[in-house]
Every structure is written in C-alpha cells, then in structure tokens.
C-alpha cells in the first residue's frame, strides 16, 4: 500500500498506481469502498484505462449480489 501511495504522491496524474492500489484494496485487503474510489480516480485520470472499468464493474456486481441476498433472505 505504501508503495502505491508514494507513487501517487510522486506522480499524482498517473492512473496506473490508482488502478493497482484499487486491486490491492479489492483482492488483498478486502476494502471494497477504497478499491472503488481508486478505480474511479484511475478512470478520471485516464478514461482509456480499460482495467479500471473492468474491476469497477466487479464491485458493482458484488454490490448487486449483496442486495439481492438481503432482499431474498
């Protein structure tokens, strides 16, 4: 996490560290809200960064599944 935050500090307009930090939050640290924030920032900085869109979509799917499970319990 520190490495990505330092990369963002050094080059705040680079979308890649935001995307990678989103991956870290999503897959390793299980912090989906922070992951989504980083993916949105990556897309804002580079709208052509397809990886960020794909991972953001995974977050939306997870949220929909969670709501679906709550409704039909």
């Amino acid at each position: 996490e520190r490495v990505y935050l330092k990369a963002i500090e050094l080059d705040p307009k680079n979308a890649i560290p935001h995307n990678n930090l989103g991956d870290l939050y999503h897959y390793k640290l299980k912090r989906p809200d922070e992951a989504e924030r980083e993916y949105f920032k990556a897309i804002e900085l580079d709208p052509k960064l397809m990886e960020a869109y794909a991972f953001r979509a995974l977050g939306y799917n997870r949220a929909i599944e969670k709501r679906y499970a709550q409704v039909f319990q």
Side-chain angles (χ1 to χ4, degrees):
E1 181 178 22
R2 277 184 289 139
V3 172
Y4 294 126
L5 292 172
K6 185 65 173 179
I8 291 166
E9 179 185 325
L10 294 172
D11 188 4
K13 295 190 187 258
N14 185 346
I16 300 297
H18 286 283
N19 186 68
N20 293 346
L21 184 56
D23 290 347
L24 177 70
Y25 287 149
H26 180 79
Y27 291 107
K28 192 81 165 160
L29 302 178
K30 308 298 185 203
R31 292 161 39 187
D33 293 337
E34 291 170 89
E36 185 176 20
R37 181 189 70 227
E38 294 303 324
Y39 294 139
F40 272 107
K41 185 63 177 178
I43 291 166
E44 177 186 316
L45 292 169
D46 183 359
K48 294 180 182 178
L49 185 63
M50 291 298 116
E51 295 90 347
Y53 287 101
F55 290 116
R56 191 180 79 184
L58 289 175
Y60 284 137
N61 284 338
R62 185 183 60 252
I64 290 169
E65 289 172 359
K66 193 175 191 179
R67 287 187 188 135
Y68 183 83
Q70 289 171 344
V71 168
F72 292 102
Q73 281 187 350

